[in-house]
Amino acid sequence: MKKLIAVVGMSGTGKSVATSYLEEQGYQKIYFGGVIYDKMKEKGIPITPDSQKEFRENLRKEHGMGVVAKILLPKIEEAYQQGNTVLDGLYSWDEYLILKDKFKDLKLICVCTDKKIRYNRVSERRDRPFSKDDIIKRDITEIENTAKGGPIAFADYYILNNGGFEDFYARLEEILKDIDKEE
């Protein structure tokens, strides 16, 4: 049976690590953030933390909180028809509801990390590093303006990612085995 998994969590928790691991296991990845970047590039908007925030919020104000899921729905359907699919970066409760209505077997895996560790990771990453002040602003914006807390709170599974890759991958494998049992 095919699986559809959405990996959720705050910035710097390890969502991309989880989705990359699933890609290595044969899952096709759909990156939600790519929609924002693509739309910004189409309009010639430079990509900065502030411009991303403004663009994300305006897009959702104009088209609703589920806009990214609506845009990606045909791509998700196509990928899922072909096999296991992982969604990287599902944000809002509305996005979750849109997808859950279409895909009854959708599972949410939330990656959690202590705030101090997250902030350190985000400040040191090669792609899209943020200062501590920028990541705090982003956290607050994502909670208040994009309804990110709903999918995190309602996740089917959680991975505490405060340590190394070995424990992280072991917990992810445990979750995949549990999902297999449900079929």
Side-chain angles (χ1 to χ4, degrees), residues 32-64:
F32 274 51
V35 169
I36 303 301
Y37 295 132
D38 291 346
K39 295 287 183 192
M40 289 177 74
K41 287 175 188 170
E42 282 174 21
K43 296 185 181 287
I45 299 169
I47 298 174
T48 67
D50 287 336
S51 67
Q52 287 175 31
K53 171 188 175 285
E54 183 180 347
F55 191 87
R56 253 193 330 267
E57 289 180 14
N58 288 338
L59 187 66
R60 287 184 168 101
K61 280 179 191 168
E62 190 175 332
H63 300 285

PDB file of all heavy atoms in Angstrom, residues 32-64:
ATOM      1  N   PHE A  32       6.770  22.115  -0.085  1.00  0.00           N
ATOM      2  CA  PHE A  32       5.777  23.189  -0.019  1.00  0.00           C
ATOM      3  C   PHE A  32       6.418  24.565  -0.163  1.00  0.00           C
ATOM      4  O   PHE A  32       5.869  25.440  -0.808  1.00  0.00           O
ATOM      5  CB  PHE A  32       4.992  23.104   1.289  1.00  0.00           C
ATOM      6  CG  PHE A  32       3.824  22.176   1.235  1.00  0.00           C
ATOM      7  CD1 PHE A  32       3.964  20.876   0.773  1.00  0.00           C
ATOM      8  CD2 PHE A  32       2.573  22.583   1.661  1.00  0.00           C
ATOM      9  CE1 PHE A  32       2.893  20.006   0.727  1.00  0.00           C
ATOM     10  CE2 PHE A  32       1.482  21.733   1.616  1.00  0.00           C
ATOM     11  CZ  PHE A  32       1.642  20.436   1.152  1.00  0.00           C
ATOM     12  N   GLY A  33       7.582  24.759   0.460  1.00  0.00           N
ATOM     13  CA  GLY A  33       8.253  26.049   0.390  1.00  0.00           C
ATOM     14  C   GLY A  33       8.633  26.432  -1.023  1.00  0.00           C
ATOM     15  O   GLY A  33       8.764  27.614  -1.344  1.00  0.00           O
ATOM     16  N   GLY A  34       8.807  25.449  -1.872  1.00  0.00           N
ATOM     17  CA  GLY A  34       9.145  25.713  -3.266  1.00  0.00           C
ATOM     18  C   GLY A  34       8.102  26.544  -3.975  1.00  0.00           C
ATOM     19  O   GLY A  34       8.423  27.334  -4.872  1.00  0.00           O
ATOM     20  N   VAL A  35       6.845  26.393  -3.583  1.00  0.00           N
ATOM     21  CA  VAL A  35       5.766  27.190  -4.190  1.00  0.00           C
ATOM     22  C   VAL A  35       6.014  28.668  -3.935  1.00  0.00           C
ATOM     23  O   VAL A  35       5.905  29.493  -4.839  1.00  0.00           O
ATOM     24  CB  VAL A  35       4.384  26.764  -3.638  1.00  0.00           C
ATOM     25  CG1 VAL A  35       3.303  27.744  -4.047  1.00  0.00           C
ATOM     26  CG2 VAL A  35       4.042  25.354  -4.099  1.00  0.00           C
ATOM     27  N   ILE A  36       6.357  28.997  -2.701  1.00  0.00           N
ATOM     28  CA  ILE A  36       6.607  30.393  -2.337  1.00  0.00           C
ATOM     29  C   ILE A  36       7.793  30.936  -3.135  1.00  0.00           C
ATOM     30  O   ILE A  36       7.715  32.012  -3.739  1.00  0.00           O
ATOM     31  CB  ILE A  36       6.858  30.535  -0.816  1.00  0.00           C
ATOM     32  CG1 ILE A  36       5.677  29.979   0.000  1.00  0.00           C
ATOM     33  CG2 ILE A  36       7.189  31.975  -0.442  1.00  0.00           C
ATOM     34  CD1 ILE A  36       4.336  30.634  -0.260  1.00  0.00           C
ATOM     35  N   TYR A  37       8.891  30.171  -3.149  1.00  0.00           N
ATOM     36  CA  TYR A  37      10.080  30.613  -3.893  1.00  0.00           C
ATOM     37  C   TYR A  37       9.774  30.784  -5.382  1.00  0.00           C
ATOM     38  O   TYR A  37      10.194  31.765  -6.000  1.00  0.00           O
ATOM     39  CB  TYR A  37      11.246  29.636  -3.708  1.00  0.00           C
ATOM     40  CG  TYR A  37      11.760  29.558  -2.304  1.00  0.00           C
ATOM     41  CD1 TYR A  37      11.978  28.334  -1.694  1.00  0.00           C
ATOM     42  CD2 TYR A  37      12.038  30.704  -1.565  1.00  0.00           C
ATOM     43  CE1 TYR A  37      12.450  28.253  -0.396  1.00  0.00           C
ATOM     44  CE2 TYR A  37      12.509  30.635  -0.274  1.00  0.00           C
ATOM     45  CZ  TYR A  37      12.712  29.408   0.303  1.00  0.00           C
ATOM     46  OH  TYR A  37      13.176  29.341   1.599  1.00  0.00           O
ATOM     47  N   ASP A  38       9.066  29.827  -5.957  1.00  0.00           N
ATOM     48  CA  ASP A  38       8.741  29.901  -7.392  1.00  0.00           C
ATOM     49  C   ASP A  38       7.886  31.131  -7.704  1.00  0.00           C
ATOM     50  O   ASP A  38       8.135  31.839  -8.684  1.00  0.00           O
ATOM     51  CB  ASP A  38       8.008  28.638  -7.856  1.00  0.00           C
ATOM     52  CG  ASP A  38       8.901  27.406  -7.861  1.00  0.00           C
ATOM     53  OD1 ASP A  38      10.143  27.558  -7.768  1.00  0.00           O
ATOM     54  OD2 ASP A  38       8.346  26.294  -7.951  1.00  0.00           O
ATOM     55  N   LYS A  39       6.887  31.372  -6.878  1.00  0.00           N
ATOM     56  CA  LYS A  39       6.003  32.530  -7.097  1.00  0.00           C
ATOM     57  C   LYS A  39       6.773  33.839  -6.929  1.00  0.00           C
ATOM     58  O   LYS A  39       6.533  34.793  -7.665  1.00  0.00           O
ATOM     59  CB  LYS A  39       4.805  32.488  -6.137  1.00  0.00           C
ATOM     60  CG  LYS A  39       3.868  31.320  -6.348  1.00  0.00           C
ATOM     61  CD  LYS A  39       3.057  31.491  -7.597  1.00  0.00           C
ATOM     62  CE  LYS A  39       2.062  30.360  -7.771  1.00  0.00           C
ATOM     63  NZ  LYS A  39       1.470  30.340  -9.090  1.00  0.00           N
ATOM     64  N   MET A  40       7.691  33.883  -5.966  1.00  0.00           N
ATOM     65  CA  MET A  40       8.486  35.092  -5.770  1.00  0.00           C
ATOM     66  C   MET A  40       9.407  35.335  -6.959  1.00  0.00           C
ATOM     67  O   MET A  40       9.531  36.472  -7.439  1.00  0.00           O
ATOM     68  CB  MET A  40       9.308  34.989  -4.476  1.00  0.00           C
ATOM     69  CG  MET A  40       8.469  35.077  -3.214  1.00  0.00           C
ATOM     70  SD  MET A  40       9.430  34.861  -1.704  1.00  0.00           S
ATOM     71  CE  MET A  40      10.276  36.454  -1.635  1.00  0.00           C
ATOM     72  N   LYS A  41      10.018  34.274  -7.470  1.00  0.00           N
ATOM     73  CA  LYS A  41      10.893  34.399  -8.640  1.00  0.00           C
ATOM     74  C   LYS A  41      10.108  34.864  -9.858  1.00  0.00           C
ATOM     75  O   LYS A  41      10.581  35.710 -10.622  1.00  0.00           O
ATOM     76  CB  LYS A  41      11.586  33.061  -8.927  1.00  0.00           C
ATOM     77  CG  LYS A  41      12.679  32.727  -7.939  1.00  0.00           C
ATOM     78  CD  LYS A  41      13.257  31.341  -8.201  1.00  0.00           C
ATOM     79  CE  LYS A  41      14.216  30.937  -7.100  1.00  0.00           C
ATOM     80  NZ  LYS A  41      14.616  29.528  -7.198  1.00  0.00           N
ATOM     81  N   GLU A  42       8.894  34.303 -10.042  1.00  0.00           N
ATOM     82  CA  GLU A  42       8.036  34.712 -11.167  1.00  0.00           C
ATOM     83  C   GLU A  42       7.780  36.214 -11.148  1.00  0.00           C
ATOM     84  O   GLU A  42       7.699  36.852 -12.181  1.00  0.00           O
ATOM     85  CB  GLU A  42       6.672  33.997 -11.101  1.00  0.00           C
ATOM     86  CG  GLU A  42       6.676  32.579 -11.570  1.00  0.00           C
ATOM     87  CD  GLU A  42       5.325  31.908 -11.328  1.00  0.00           C
ATOM     88  OE1 GLU A  42       4.295  32.618 -11.175  1.00  0.00           O
ATOM     89  OE2 GLU A  42       5.302  30.662 -11.286  1.00  0.00           O
ATOM     90  N   LYS A  43       7.632  36.765  -9.953  1.00  0.00           N
ATOM     91  CA  LYS A  43       7.319  38.187  -9.810  1.00  0.00           C
ATOM     92  C   LYS A  43       8.571  39.050  -9.665  1.00  0.00           C
ATOM     93  O   LYS A  43       8.470  40.260  -9.486  1.00  0.00           O
ATOM     94  CB  LYS A  43       6.384  38.398  -8.624  1.00  0.00           C
ATOM     95  CG  LYS A  43       5.021  37.730  -8.821  1.00  0.00           C
ATOM     96  CD  LYS A  43       4.086  38.049  -7.696  1.00  0.00           C
ATOM     97  CE  LYS A  43       2.758  37.374  -7.856  1.00  0.00           C
ATOM     98  NZ  LYS A  43       1.913  37.942  -8.881  1.00  0.00           N
ATOM     99  N   GLY A  44       9.748  38.408  -9.698  1.00  0.00           N
ATOM    100  CA  GLY A  44      11.001  39.157  -9.602  1.00  0.00           C
ATOM    101  C   GLY A  44      11.277  39.729  -8.225  1.00  0.00           C
ATOM    102  O   GLY A  44      11.970  40.743  -8.096  1.00  0.00           O
ATOM    103  N   ILE A  45      10.767  39.081  -7.197  1.00  0.00           N
ATOM    104  CA  ILE A  45      10.947  39.556  -5.820  1.00  0.00           C
ATOM    105  C   ILE A  45      12.193  38.894  -5.235  1.00  0.00           C
ATOM    106  O   ILE A  45      12.296  37.664  -5.229  1.00  0.00           O
ATOM    107  CB  ILE A  45       9.711  39.226  -4.960  1.00  0.00           C
ATOM    108  CG1 ILE A  45       8.469  39.914  -5.539  1.00  0.00           C
ATOM    109  CG2 ILE A  45       9.934  39.618  -3.506  1.00  0.00           C
ATOM    110  CD1 ILE A  45       7.164  39.455  -4.922  1.00  0.00           C
ATOM    111  N   PRO A  46      13.144  39.681  -4.737  1.00  0.00           N
ATOM    112  CA  PRO A  46      14.331  39.087  -4.101  1.00  0.00           C
ATOM    113  C   PRO A  46      13.919  38.263  -2.881  1.00  0.00           C
ATOM    114  O   PRO A  46      13.028  38.660  -2.126  1.00  0.00           O
ATOM    115  CB  PRO A  46      15.171  40.294  -3.674  1.00  0.00           C
ATOM    116  CG  PRO A  46      14.567  41.476  -4.332  1.00  0.00           C
ATOM    117  CD  PRO A  46      13.163  41.136  -4.723  1.00  0.00           C
ATOM    118  N   ILE A  47      14.581  37.119  -2.685  1.00  0.00           N
ATOM    119  CA  ILE A  47      14.227  36.222  -1.592  1.00  0.00           C
ATOM    120  C   ILE A  47      15.089  36.541  -0.371  1.00  0.00           C
ATOM    121  O   ILE A  47      16.286  36.297  -0.363  1.00  0.00           O
ATOM    122  CB  ILE A  47      14.381  34.748  -2.028  1.00  0.00           C
ATOM    123  CG1 ILE A  47      13.413  34.458  -3.180  1.00  0.00           C
ATOM    124  CG2 ILE A  47      14.127  33.811  -0.851  1.00  0.00           C
ATOM    125  CD1 ILE A  47      13.561  33.094  -3.804  1.00  0.00           C
ATOM    126  N   THR A  48      14.430  37.119   0.630  1.00  0.00           N
ATOM    127  CA  THR A  48      15.043  37.415   1.919  1.00  0.00           C
ATOM    128  C   THR A  48      14.073  36.938   3.000  1.00  0.00           C
ATOM    129  O   THR A  48      12.891  36.693   2.703  1.00  0.00           O
ATOM    130  CB  THR A  48      15.283  38.930   2.096  1.00  0.00           C
ATOM    131  OG1 THR A  48      14.001  39.584   2.179  1.00  0.00           O
ATOM    132  CG2 THR A  48      16.098  39.517   0.952  1.00  0.00           C
ATOM    133  N   PRO A  49      14.519  36.821   4.253  1.00  0.00           N
ATOM    134  CA  PRO A  49      13.572  36.419   5.300  1.00  0.00           C
ATOM    135  C   PRO A  49      12.334  37.329   5.358  1.00  0.00           C
ATOM    136  O   PRO A  49      11.215  36.853   5.471  1.00  0.00           O
ATOM    137  CB  PRO A  49      14.400  36.514   6.588  1.00  0.00           C
ATOM    138  CG  PRO A  49      15.796  36.255   6.135  1.00  0.00           C
ATOM    139  CD  PRO A  49      15.889  36.894   4.774  1.00  0.00           C
ATOM    140  N   ASP A  50      12.538  38.638   5.253  1.00  0.00           N
ATOM    141  CA  ASP A  50      11.402  39.567   5.332  1.00  0.00           C
ATOM    142  C   ASP A  50      10.501  39.467   4.103  1.00  0.00           C
ATOM    143  O   ASP A  50       9.274  39.492   4.229  1.00  0.00           O
ATOM    144  CB  ASP A  50      11.893  41.004   5.510  1.00  0.00           C
ATOM    145  CG  ASP A  50      12.439  41.252   6.912  1.00  0.00           C
ATOM    146  OD1 ASP A  50      12.057  40.524   7.850  1.00  0.00           O
ATOM    147  OD2 ASP A  50      13.259  42.185   7.064  1.00  0.00           O
ATOM    148  N   SER A  51      11.105  39.348   2.912  1.00  0.00           N
ATOM    149  CA  SER A  51      10.278  39.269   1.703  1.00  0.00           C
ATOM    150  C   SER A  51       9.506  37.949   1.661  1.00  0.00           C
ATOM    151  O   SER A  51       8.353  37.917   1.212  1.00  0.00           O
ATOM    152  CB  SER A  51      11.119  39.446   0.441  1.00  0.00           C
ATOM    153  OG  SER A  51      12.013  38.373   0.240  1.00  0.00           O
ATOM    154  N   GLN A  52      10.116  36.864   2.152  1.00  0.00           N
ATOM    155  CA  GLN A  52       9.412  35.575   2.211  1.00  0.00           C
ATOM    156  C   GLN A  52       8.195  35.686   3.115  1.00  0.00           C
ATOM    157  O   GLN A  52       7.101  35.236   2.759  1.00  0.00           O
ATOM    158  CB  GLN A  52      10.327  34.484   2.764  1.00  0.00           C
ATOM    159  CG  GLN A  52      11.391  34.008   1.843  1.00  0.00           C
ATOM    160  CD  GLN A  52      12.310  33.018   2.550  1.00  0.00           C
ATOM    161  OE1 GLN A  52      11.889  32.277   3.445  1.00  0.00           O
ATOM    162  NE2 GLN A  52      13.567  33.018   2.169  1.00  0.00           N
ATOM    163  N   LYS A  53       8.408  36.261   4.288  1.00  0.00           N
ATOM    164  CA  LYS A  53       7.326  36.422   5.262  1.00  0.00           C
ATOM    165  C   LYS A  53       6.183  37.220   4.658  1.00  0.00           C
ATOM    166  O   LYS A  53       5.029  36.797   4.699  1.00  0.00           O
ATOM    167  CB  LYS A  53       7.860  37.108   6.520  1.00  0.00           C
ATOM    168  CG  LYS A  53       6.796  37.521   7.522  1.00  0.00           C
ATOM    169  CD  LYS A  53       7.410  38.361   8.635  1.00  0.00           C
ATOM    170  CE  LYS A  53       6.397  38.896   9.591  1.00  0.00           C
ATOM    171  NZ  LYS A  53       5.611  40.011   9.089  1.00  0.00           N
ATOM    172  N   GLU A  54       6.517  38.366   4.094  1.00  0.00           N
ATOM    173  CA  GLU A  54       5.497  39.230   3.513  1.00  0.00           C
ATOM    174  C   GLU A  54       4.764  38.531   2.372  1.00  0.00           C
ATOM    175  O   GLU A  54       3.541  38.566   2.290  1.00  0.00           O
ATOM    176  CB  GLU A  54       6.138  40.530   3.016  1.00  0.00           C
ATOM    177  CG  GLU A  54       5.134  41.518   2.461  1.00  0.00           C
ATOM    178  CD  GLU A  54       5.788  42.808   1.976  1.00  0.00           C
ATOM    179  OE1 GLU A  54       6.977  43.049   2.288  1.00  0.00           O
ATOM    180  OE2 GLU A  54       5.100  43.558   1.279  1.00  0.00           O
ATOM    181  N   PHE A  55       5.511  37.875   1.497  1.00  0.00           N
ATOM    182  CA  PHE A  55       4.901  37.212   0.349  1.00  0.00           C
ATOM    183  C   PHE A  55       3.994  36.068   0.800  1.00  0.00           C
ATOM    184  O   PHE A  55       2.865  35.946   0.321  1.00  0.00           O
ATOM    185  CB  PHE A  55       5.977  36.695  -0.612  1.00  0.00           C
ATOM    186  CG  PHE A  55       5.407  36.247  -1.919  1.00  0.00           C
ATOM    187  CD1 PHE A  55       5.217  37.160  -2.938  1.00  0.00           C
ATOM    188  CD2 PHE A  55       5.052  34.927  -2.125  1.00  0.00           C
ATOM    189  CE1 PHE A  55       4.669  36.756  -4.141  1.00  0.00           C
ATOM    190  CE2 PHE A  55       4.503  34.518  -3.324  1.00  0.00           C
ATOM    191  CZ  PHE A  55       4.319  35.433  -4.344  1.00  0.00           C
ATOM    192  N   ARG A  56       4.486  35.222   1.732  1.00  0.00           N
ATOM    193  CA  ARG A  56       3.692  34.101   2.262  1.00  0.00           C
ATOM    194  C   ARG A  56       2.381  34.590   2.843  1.00  0.00           C
ATOM    195  O   ARG A  56       1.310  34.040   2.566  1.00  0.00           O
ATOM    196  CB  ARG A  56       4.482  33.399   3.381  1.00  0.00           C
ATOM    197  CG  ARG A  56       5.057  32.080   3.076  1.00  0.00           C
ATOM    198  CD  ARG A  56       5.539  31.317   4.300  1.00  0.00           C
ATOM    199  NE  ARG A  56       6.015  32.087   5.419  1.00  0.00           N
ATOM    200  CZ  ARG A  56       7.284  32.421   5.626  1.00  0.00           C
ATOM    201  NH1 ARG A  56       8.211  32.073   4.778  1.00  0.00           N
ATOM    202  NH2 ARG A  56       7.632  33.120   6.685  1.00  0.00           N
ATOM    203  N   GLU A  57       2.487  35.638   3.668  1.00  0.00           N
ATOM    204  CA  GLU A  57       1.287  36.152   4.334  1.00  0.00           C
ATOM    205  C   GLU A  57       0.308  36.764   3.334  1.00  0.00           C
ATOM    206  O   GLU A  57      -0.903  36.550   3.432  1.00  0.00           O
ATOM    207  CB  GLU A  57       1.681  37.158   5.409  1.00  0.00           C
ATOM    208  CG  GLU A  57       2.342  36.498   6.594  1.00  0.00           C
ATOM    209  CD  GLU A  57       2.754  37.474   7.678  1.00  0.00           C
ATOM    210  OE1 GLU A  57       2.311  38.643   7.657  1.00  0.00           O
ATOM    211  OE2 GLU A  57       3.517  37.059   8.563  1.00  0.00           O
ATOM    212  N   ASN A  58       0.822  37.524   2.378  1.00  0.00           N
ATOM    213  CA  ASN A  58      -0.057  38.137   1.383  1.00  0.00           C
ATOM    214  C   ASN A  58      -0.731  37.093   0.496  1.00  0.00           C
ATOM    215  O   ASN A  58      -1.911  37.224   0.164  1.00  0.00           O
ATOM    216  CB  ASN A  58       0.707  39.146   0.522  1.00  0.00           C
ATOM    217  CG  ASN A  58       1.042  40.408   1.282  1.00  0.00           C
ATOM    218  OD1 ASN A  58       0.402  40.738   2.281  1.00  0.00           O
ATOM    219  ND2 ASN A  58       2.075  41.112   0.837  1.00  0.00           N
ATOM    220  N   LEU A  59       0.019  36.066   0.106  1.00  0.00           N
ATOM    221  CA  LEU A  59      -0.548  34.998  -0.717  1.00  0.00           C
ATOM    222  C   LEU A  59      -1.688  34.313   0.023  1.00  0.00           C
ATOM    223  O   LEU A  59      -2.755  34.063  -0.552  1.00  0.00           O
ATOM    224  CB  LEU A  59       0.549  33.983  -1.078  1.00  0.00           C
ATOM    225  CG  LEU A  59       0.176  32.889  -2.065  1.00  0.00           C
ATOM    226  CD1 LEU A  59      -0.103  33.487  -3.441  1.00  0.00           C
ATOM    227  CD2 LEU A  59       1.280  31.845  -2.147  1.00  0.00           C
ATOM    228  N   ARG A  60      -1.490  34.074   1.326  1.00  0.00           N
ATOM    229  CA  ARG A  60      -2.534  33.412   2.117  1.00  0.00           C
ATOM    230  C   ARG A  60      -3.717  34.346   2.386  1.00  0.00           C
ATOM    231  O   ARG A  60      -4.858  33.894   2.429  1.00  0.00           O
ATOM    232  CB  ARG A  60      -1.932  32.868   3.407  1.00  0.00           C
ATOM    233  CG  ARG A  60      -1.075  31.637   3.140  1.00  0.00           C
ATOM    234  CD  ARG A  60      -0.540  31.007   4.410  1.00  0.00           C
ATOM    235  NE  ARG A  60       0.026  29.698   4.127  1.00  0.00           N
ATOM    236  CZ  ARG A  60       1.331  29.463   4.008  1.00  0.00           C
ATOM    237  NH1 ARG A  60       2.204  30.429   4.168  1.00  0.00           N
ATOM    238  NH2 ARG A  60       1.753  28.248   3.746  1.00  0.00           N
ATOM    239  N   LYS A  61      -3.449  35.634   2.569  1.00  0.00           N
ATOM    240  CA  LYS A  61      -4.553  36.587   2.748  1.00  0.00           C
ATOM    241  C   LYS A  61      -5.414  36.646   1.502  1.00  0.00           C
ATOM    242  O   LYS A  61      -6.642  36.702   1.568  1.00  0.00           O
ATOM    243  CB  LYS A  61      -4.017  37.985   3.066  1.00  0.00           C
ATOM    244  CG  LYS A  61      -3.604  38.179   4.498  1.00  0.00           C
ATOM    245  CD  LYS A  61      -3.052  39.581   4.724  1.00  0.00           C
ATOM    246  CE  LYS A  61      -2.402  39.679   6.081  1.00  0.00           C
ATOM    247  NZ  LYS A  61      -1.617  40.912   6.235  1.00  0.00           N
ATOM    248  N   GLU A  62      -4.758  36.650   0.357  1.00  0.00           N
ATOM    249  CA  GLU A  62      -5.466  36.776  -0.924  1.00  0.00           C
ATOM    250  C   GLU A  62      -6.202  35.502  -1.329  1.00  0.00           C
ATOM    251  O   GLU A  62      -7.312  35.557  -1.851  1.00  0.00           O
ATOM    252  CB  GLU A  62      -4.463  37.158  -2.014  1.00  0.00           C
ATOM    253  CG  GLU A  62      -5.104  37.539  -3.327  1.00  0.00           C
ATOM    254  CD  GLU A  62      -4.078  38.025  -4.342  1.00  0.00           C
ATOM    255  OE1 GLU A  62      -3.028  38.568  -3.943  1.00  0.00           O
ATOM    256  OE2 GLU A  62      -4.347  37.852  -5.543  1.00  0.00           O
ATOM    257  N   HIS A  63      -5.590  34.332  -1.063  1.00  0.00           N
ATOM    258  CA  HIS A  63      -6.142  33.076  -1.582  1.00  0.00           C
ATOM    259  C   HIS A  63      -6.536  32.069  -0.505  1.00  0.00           C
ATOM    260  O   HIS A  63      -6.948  30.958  -0.837  1.00  0.00           O
ATOM    261  CB  HIS A  63      -5.127  32.417  -2.525  1.00  0.00           C
ATOM    262  CG  HIS A  63      -4.766  33.265  -3.692  1.00  0.00           C
ATOM    263  ND1 HIS A  63      -5.606  33.458  -4.769  1.00  0.00           N
ATOM    264  CD2 HIS A  63      -3.655  33.988  -3.955  1.00  0.00           C
ATOM    265  CE1 HIS A  63      -5.025  34.254  -5.652  1.00  0.00           C
ATOM    266  NE2 HIS A  63      -3.837  34.594  -5.171  1.00  0.00           N
ATOM    267  N   GLY A  64      -6.380  32.421   0.760  1.00  0.00           N
ATOM    268  CA  GLY A  64      -6.756  31.518   1.843  1.00  0.00           C
ATOM    269  C   GLY A  64      -5.569  30.760   2.404  1.00  0.00           C
ATOM    270  O   GLY A  64      -4.535  30.609   1.756  1.00  0.00           O
TER     271      GLY A  64
END
